[in-house]
Amino acid sequence: MAAGTRTQIRSVEGFLALDSRANPTVGARVVLEGGAVGEAIVPSGASTGTHEAVERRDGGTEWNGKGVSGAIAAVGGELATMVVGMDATEQRLIDEAMIVADGTDDKHRIGANAMLAVSLATARAAAGALDVPLYRYLGGVGAHRLPVPMLNVINGGVHASNNLDIQEFLIIPHGAATFGEALRWGVEIYHRLRSELLAKGHSVAVGDEGGFAPDLGSHEEALELMVAAIEASGLVPGRDCSLGLDAAASEFWREGRYVMVGQGLELEADGLVEYMARLVDQFPIVSLEDAMAEEDWDGWSILTERLASRVQLVGDDIFVTNPGLLGKGIERGVANAILIKLNQIGTLTETLDVVDLATRSGYRSVISHRSGETEDTTIADLAVGLGTGQIKTGAPARSERAAKYNRLLAIERELGPGARYVDWTRAQR
């Protein structure tokens, strides 16, 4: 069988899966003429930007309105009809065909969840047909850099039912020699933090992404506990392991002001910038994500001018993995990094293009999970394949999060002496 025939798409099937919040989501199975099979399952977010590509949901009463039967039908119907017979290695042509067929700016007709499932399953099938791991298929022979994990160990905001307004408190073990060592440090800190919380009488129930979700007196108390856990693990805060925050500020943006109910604060944009700056002064914070709301471009400008020389400023809701919005940010000089979520844009090719634009413009890219995750490990391969050097995929607990870490450990073993782990924070010291 000729190589081209072997990689032609023979069939496409959609299926239902559950995400980590017990909501239905979309999966796709792509079979090639040579027998290779690729499967992918799409995640779902809770803290979502208003400009994200649209998840297609059924509404109605089944699954509490969150059903995806329409999206699954689109996978096995309209999208299958379109891509069957195409060469799976022509990822750009396949993705562009789906985008054109949808015909909307936000993919609401067919659904970004349906399109992404087919896009990712196609890439997996192509990699299988060529007998290479997905990271190698995506990144070629240069794919060898393991990402620094950003582990969400305390959850707040919409990811937890507590009094913390900031959504994610992250530990970043950037000073390790290898990914395996970094993950071990992260796990040890996570367990030390659990012990510290218990000793102080706090709950150790976890939020959507596996981080603890206690009621604490302040954001500062959360950060103090994290620093103490790093030190109790025999590590040096700021040298071995630093901190990060995902404020998800759009969630507490109210008519032009930032209202942090749990902290008893109501601030203008410049006030929130100064609040964040004080936290950076007090604690070894190296990354701030969504520290301003997605519509507050002026606030982002103030933030960038104030803190870009000191910390990584990651845009998630403001950019939503969209080249147009990232281009606007580059033009206005806001942020210096972008969070990359596949389902915000809806196809693999568009995601690759956004990472390329960011890299060419001097912005870092952080590959990210969503709060509603599955056992799909595509983002682990994506981080290595693109060499972005950073990944956010939750605490080292809950199997849908651990699956990504376990995949990265497997990739590190496979790469052997060729694996590299690079401390990206050195560039901003």
Side-chain angles (χ1 to χ4, degrees):
M1 184 181 292
T5 303
R6 183 167 54 89
T7 54
Q8 280 184 332
I9 297 175
R10 178 198 300 168
S11 65
V12 178
E13 174 188 359
F15 60 87
L16 180 142
L18 292 180
D19 72 17
S20 56
R21 283 200 298 266
N23 290 324
T25 188
V26 183
R29 186 173 193 267
V30 171
V31 182
L32 307 187
E33 290 293 351
V37 178
E39 288 191 357
I41 307 174
V42 175
S44 178
S47 174
T48 56
T50 57
H51 302 292
E52 291 191 23
V54 174
E55 263 185 348
R56 183 174 175 180
R57 297 281 183 179
D58 298 339
T61 57
E62 290 190 352
W63 298 103
N64 299 309
K66 294 182 178 293
V68 289
S69 60
I72 292 170
V75 170
E78 181 177 357
L79 295 180
T81 300
M82 183 188 315
V83 304
V84 165
M86 296 182 74
D87 192 318
T89 63
E90 296 287 354
Q91 185 78 42
R92 185 169 296 274
L93 294 180
I94 290 168
D95 288 349
E96 287 178 351
M98 292 192 292
I99 293 167
V100 170
D102 175 78
T104 67
D105 291 338
D106 57 8
K107 301 180 176 68
H108 71 263
R109 191 184 72 79
I110 294 175
N113 45 354
M115 295 167 67
L116 183 60
V118 173
S119 182
L120 296 183
T122 297
R124 285 195 167 278
L130 300 176
D131 197 26
V132 294
L134 184 59
Y135 70 87
R136 184 70 66 209
Y137 177 71
L138 295 173
V141 295
H144 68 290
R145 182 180 179 183
L146 273 294
V148 174
M150 305 172 78
L151 300 100
N152 180 5
V153 296
I154 294 182
N155 291 184
V158 299
H159 289 173
S161 55
N162 60 12
N163 63 340
L164 297 175
D165 301 286
I166 288 177
Q167 185 167 278
E168 298 177 12
F169 295 76
L170 308 153
I171 54 172
I172 306 172
H174 52 80
T178 66
F179 175 80
E181 182 177 54
L183 186 60
R184 175 173 64 80
W185 287 0
V187 169
E188 290 171 355
I189 294 166
Y190 182 77
H191 286 297
R192 295 281 185 181
L193 179 60
R194 184 180 189 278
S195 297
E196 188 70 14
L197 288 167
L198 282 173
K200 292 181 178 295
H202 294 300
S203 167
V204 290
V206 300
D208 281 352
E209 296 181 356
F212 304 114
D215 277 323
L216 299 173
S218 65
H219 295 145
E220 289 84 351
E221 184 181 358
L223 293 165
E224 288 165 359
L225 286 164
M226 292 165 67
V227 168
I230 293 171
E231 292 173 336
S233 300
L235 301 170
V236 178
R239 186 195 71 184
D240 301 321
C241 184
S242 296
L243 308 179
L245 297 174
D246 173 8
S250 295
E251 300 292 342
F252 51 85
W253 166 259
R254 301 286 183 273
E255 299 179 353
R257 296 176 68 82
Y258 293 93
V259 182
M260 292 193 282
V261 175
Q263 310 305 300
L265 295 173
E266 185 170 334
L267 304 168
E268 301 285 354
D270 57 353
L272 183 60
V273 169
E274 289 308 311
Y275 178 81
M276 294 298 172
R278 285 196 299 274
L279 294 181
V280 171
D281 288 339
Q282 289 178 257
F283 300 97
I285 294 170
V286 295
S287 183
L288 290 175
E289 179 187 330
D290 278 358
M292 310 302 290
E294 63 185 308
E295 303 296 343
D296 189 7
W297 285 85
D298 291 338
W300 269 100
S301 294
I302 298 170
L303 177 76
T304 304
E305 183 176 353
R306 181 78 165 81
L307 289 175
S309 63
R310 298 178 59 190
V311 298
Q312 175 174 260
L313 300 176
V314 186
D316 177 15
D317 290 346
I318 194 172
F319 295 146
V320 292
T321 318
N322 183 293
L325 290 171
L326 175 59
K328 180 179 177 180
I330 293 166
E331 182 179 346
R332 293 191 55 163
V334 304
N336 54 27
I338 179 174
L339 203 71
I340 300 296
K341 294 174 176 174
L342 287 152
N343 77 324
Q344 285 182 328
I345 191 65
T347 67
L348 175 59
T349 301
E350 291 170 293
T351 305
L352 301 180
D353 288 347
V354 171
V355 173
D356 179 63
L357 174 60
T359 301
R360 287 187 286 107
S361 304
Y363 280 53
R364 296 192 187 103
S365 294
V366 181
I367 305 300
S368 178
H369 63 164
R370 299 309 300 257
S371 53
E373 265 296 339
T374 74
E375 61 272 28
D376 187 295
T377 60
T378 298
I379 62 168
D381 284 76
L382 187 68
V384 177
L386 302 187
T388 58
Q390 297 181 72
I391 191 168
K392 258 183 71 176
T393 190
R398 297 182 53 136
S399 59
E400 78 280 357
R401 316 292 156 181
K404 280 73 164 173
Y405 294 123
N406 288 337
R407 174 60 185 151
L408 287 166
L409 288 172
I411 293 172
E412 187 172 53
R413 290 195 304 272
E414 187 172 305
L415 288 171
R420 295 291 181 270
Y421 187 78
V422 180
D423 183 354
W424 59 267
T425 70
R426 291 176 185 170
Q428 62 189 36
R429 293 181 204 168

